[in-house]
Amino acid sequence: MKKNILLLLLVGLLLGCGEKKATLKKVKTARIERKNIEDTSLYSGRVFPGDKTQLIAYSNGIAEEVFFKAGDEVKEGDILFKYRSTGIKENEIKLAEVKLELDMVQSELANYEVEKKETGIKNRELEIKALEYEVQKGRDILPILRSEIQSATKVVAMYREFLKEESVSIFELEQKRTELLNKEAQYTSAKMKLELDEQKYNILVLTKDGVEKEIQYKEERLKSKYEALKKDVEIYERALLESREGVRAIKDGILTSFNIQIDERVERLQNIGVLASGDNLVVSIRVPVYGASKIKAGQKVNVKFGDFTGISHYKGEVSRVSNFATESGSKLGIDVEIEILEGDLTLLKPGYRVEVQVLSSEMKEYLLVKRFSVIEENGKKYIYTIEDGKAVKKEIIVGVQGETDYEVLNLIEGTKIILNPFVINDGDIVEEIE
């Protein structure tokens, strides 16, 4: 009996001790909600000039002096290279020839409206009258030819009877047959000619009103030739200037390519390099092949650049995704270009390194939990829910991962979770606070 009493006292003592150890912990909570999430990818990028201008040599000749190379920074008006003076005379002659031709076309164009238009309409009227005469003549001759064929047919039949009576020879009969065939051929030819003349006549009559359009078309061709010659004059004027003074940079920038060497032969309108300027900037990133399928032209991008003055943020858009995978450092990747649309570009310079966040092209609603409410143990993810006033640890299955959220696949919407999981343990008694 005494043993039983002692046992009960011991159990009560232990229970009393347990109750003292169970402390109340205050926690913040939130419910799992259905929200949008942006599936993002982070990359390191580099800034490049966005405006690239093809440099063209307008004059041909031999390069005598070269003052810059690829990679050099140039100012507008800087002389890139000079020609030997032998090309000056050739450009002077070419310019004089093109100017002369331009003056001739300009004069022809000035007279065209009055002279050519009137002449064209009169010529069309004469063509219609000539065909009208031919059509009438064809219609008149066909009945005559038909009558001659009938007469020739009767003569052939009569000569066949004479041949039976031996009044004529077979030679004379064949001669009459040949005359009949000739008449039939003349009739067929005259009929075909009449049909063609009638068709031409009808077409000319129907298109008489289109004469002005035809003339206008010819006038437009003349104007087009005039404009082309004007451009040629500009080219040869530029060529003459370059042959005298040298080829100059057309604006400030960097020679991303420049391939002229001393004593090199340069042809007229030859591409000689590329001048990149900082008027617009692009960011280049390299995406691993396993992530290339997520990158599409038009996707929105956030760009971040930081230096000792602080952090600058920019908004951009994917402008080009390469169709080819290339190898860099033994790794395959896809080159992607990004156009910066918003932000202070004066803080960025070509060559700077930036952080690029590519946003998913699709926005969907997911059941989300905050990343800071999730704890990771042994490669698994857990959260704490509240059940009957206690913290309950539960493993979660994660789907899409955003920058600040996880999609949770195995809990229902409205489930209450604890936001500060690192201060509690499974089974703790908890109290919610604001």
Side-chain angles (χ1 to χ4, degrees):
M1 183 68 177
K2 290 181 179 180
K3 289 182 179 179
N4 291 336
I5 292 172
L6 290 173
L7 182 61
L8 289 172
L9 290 172
L10 181 61
V11 170
L13 183 62
L14 291 173
L15 289 173
C17 292
E19 289 176 1
K20 289 180 182 178
K21 287 182 180 178
T23 59
L24 182 67
K25 294 186 177 180
K26 296 182 179 182
V27 295
K28 292 185 177 182
T29 61
R31 294 186 182 276
I32 297 177
E33 296 179 346
R34 192 174 294 278
K35 296 180 180 178
N36 288 334
I37 186 173
E38 291 181 337
D39 184 13
T40 63
S41 302
L42 292 177
Y43 301 96
S44 175
R46 191 168 185 178
V47 180
F48 289 91
D51 289 337
K52 296 180 180 180
T53 304
Q54 190 73 50
L55 297 176
I56 297 174
Y58 285 82
S59 177
N60 56 7
I62 305 296
E64 186 173 51
E65 294 179 276
V66 179
F67 303 101
F68 293 93
K69 63 182 183 303
D72 286 348
E73 186 173 354
V74 297
K75 298 294 183 181
E76 182 178 352
D78 283 349
I79 297 176
L80 304 179
F81 73 95
K82 285 187 174 182
Y83 293 97
R84 291 179 186 170
S85 59
T86 52
I88 296 176
K89 191 63 178 178
E90 180 184 349
N91 286 323
E92 288 176 341
I93 294 172
K94 287 286 187 181
L95 179 59
E97 290 175 350
V98 174
K99 281 186 173 180
L100 179 60
E101 188 176 1
L102 178 65
D103 290 340
M104 292 172 63
V105 173
Q106 188 175 16
S107 177
E108 185 180 355
L109 191 59
N111 298 326
Y112 187 84
E113 181 67 24
V114 177
E115 296 180 3
K116 298 297 180 181
K117 187 172 182 179
E118 291 181 358
T119 302
I121 294 173
K122 288 179 180 179
N123 286 342
R124 180 55 59 89
E125 290 175 349
L126 289 174
E127 287 181 49
I128 291 174
K129 287 183 178 180
L131 273 175
E132 189 175 3
Y133 170 77
E134 291 295 326
V135 167
Q136 189 58 50
K137 186 172 71 172
R139 289 173 179 171
D140 291 340
I141 200 172
L142 284 183
I144 296 172
L145 291 174
R146 279 198 298 268
S147 176
E148 291 179 353
I149 289 172
Q150 291 174 355
S151 298
T153 302
K154 291 178 181 179
V155 170
V156 169
M158 184 174 63
Y159 268 60
R160 285 198 186 100
E161 295 298 324
F162 290 162
L163 182 62
K164 293 178 183 178
E165 299 173 359
E166 297 182 353
S167 301
V168 297
S169 65
I170 188 66
F171 174 77
E172 291 174 308
L173 176 60
E174 290 301 323
Q175 187 178 18
K176 295 303 179 183
R177 285 178 178 172
T178 301
E179 291 175 2
L180 173 60
L181 291 174
N182 288 336
K183 293 293 182 182
E184 291 175 342
Q186 289 178 24
Y187 177 81
T188 301
S189 177
K191 185 178 180 182
M192 290 179 62
K193 183 178 182 303
L194 174 61
E195 291 174 354
L196 289 173
D197 287 342
E198 286 177 336
Q199 291 177 13
K200 290 180 182 179
Y201 176 81
N202 291 332
I203 291 173
L204 286 177
V205 170
L206 289 173
T207 59
K208 183 179 178 181
D209 295 336
V211 173
E212 288 192 18
K213 290 184 179 179
E214 182 181 336
I215 294 172
Q216 184 180 4
Y217 170 71
K218 292 179 180 179
E219 186 178 10
E220 290 301 322
R221 288 180 59 188
L222 201 58
K223 288 180 179 179
S224 177
K225 184 178 180 181
Y226 174 75
E227 293 299 325
L229 285 169
K230 279 179 62 177
K231 291 181 180 178
D232 286 345
V233 168
E234 292 175 4
I235 289 173
Y236 284 110
E237 285 177 341
R238 179 82 172 268
L240 181 58
L241 183 64
E242 287 186 357
S243 63
R244 288 172 176 168
E245 300 180 359
V247 177
R248 297 180 181 272
I250 58 177
K251 59 182 177 180
D252 297 353
I254 298 172
L255 293 171
T256 55
S257 70
F258 186 63
N259 47 16
I260 298 299
Q261 305 295 326
I262 294 176
D263 295 330
E264 179 180 346
R265 174 72 183 180
V266 181
E267 300 299 332
R268 195 181 307 279
L269 301 182
Q270 175 182 325
N271 293 330
I272 59 174
V274 176
L275 180 62
S277 66
D279 298 342
N280 292 309
L281 297 176
V282 297
V283 175
S284 177
I285 62 174
R286 188 170 178 79
V287 179
V289 286
Y290 61 79
S293 61
K294 295 182 179 180
I295 306 293
K296 301 285 189 300
Q299 278 181 256
K300 300 303 179 183
V301 173
N302 292 327
V303 178
K304 184 168 65 175
F305 168 70
D307 60 9
F308 67 92
T309 63
I311 297 177
S312 303
H313 296 273
Y314 303 87
K315 292 188 180 298
E317 184 178 275
V318 175
S319 58
R320 187 183 72 85
V321 180
S322 176
N323 293 323
F324 300 94
T326 55
E327 192 170 329
S328 177
S330 74
K331 293 183 179 180
L332 282 176
I334 302 295
D335 292 323
V336 176
E337 284 189 3
I338 294 159
E339 181 182 1
I340 296 179
L341 303 177
E342 296 180 20
D344 186 2
L345 296 181
T346 60
L347 301 176
L348 280 182
K349 299 292 183 184
Y352 281 5
R353 289 285 181 182
V354 293
E355 182 181 287
V356 178
Q357 180 188 48
V358 181
L359 309 179
S360 172
S361 58
E362 296 182 1
M363 293 286 292
K364 295 182 180 179
E365 284 194 341
Y366 303 92
L367 290 177
L368 301 180
V369 295
K370 293 295 182 183
R371 277 179 176 261
F372 58 74
S373 66
V374 178
I375 56 176
E376 295 191 26
E377 295 178 357
N378 301 320
K380 296 182 178 180
K381 292 180 173 61
Y382 299 88
I383 61 169
Y384 283 97
T385 64
I386 297 179
E387 295 181 11
D388 299 326
K390 293 183 178 181
V392 179
K393 186 177 181 181
K394 291 186 178 181
E395 182 183 356
I396 61 171
I397 301 172
V398 171
V400 174
Q401 300 183 28
E403 187 176 6
T404 60
D405 304 273
Y406 286 129
E407 178 194 13
V408 59
L409 300 176
N410 59 328
L411 296 178
I412 63 173
E413 185 174 1
T415 301
K416 187 178 290 186
I417 63 171
I418 296 173
L419 296 179
N420 48 341
F422 296 100
V423 301
I424 56 176
N425 295 306
D426 190 22
D428 283 350
I429 298 174
V430 296
E431 179 185 355
E432 297 180 51
I433 60 173
E434 295 295 331

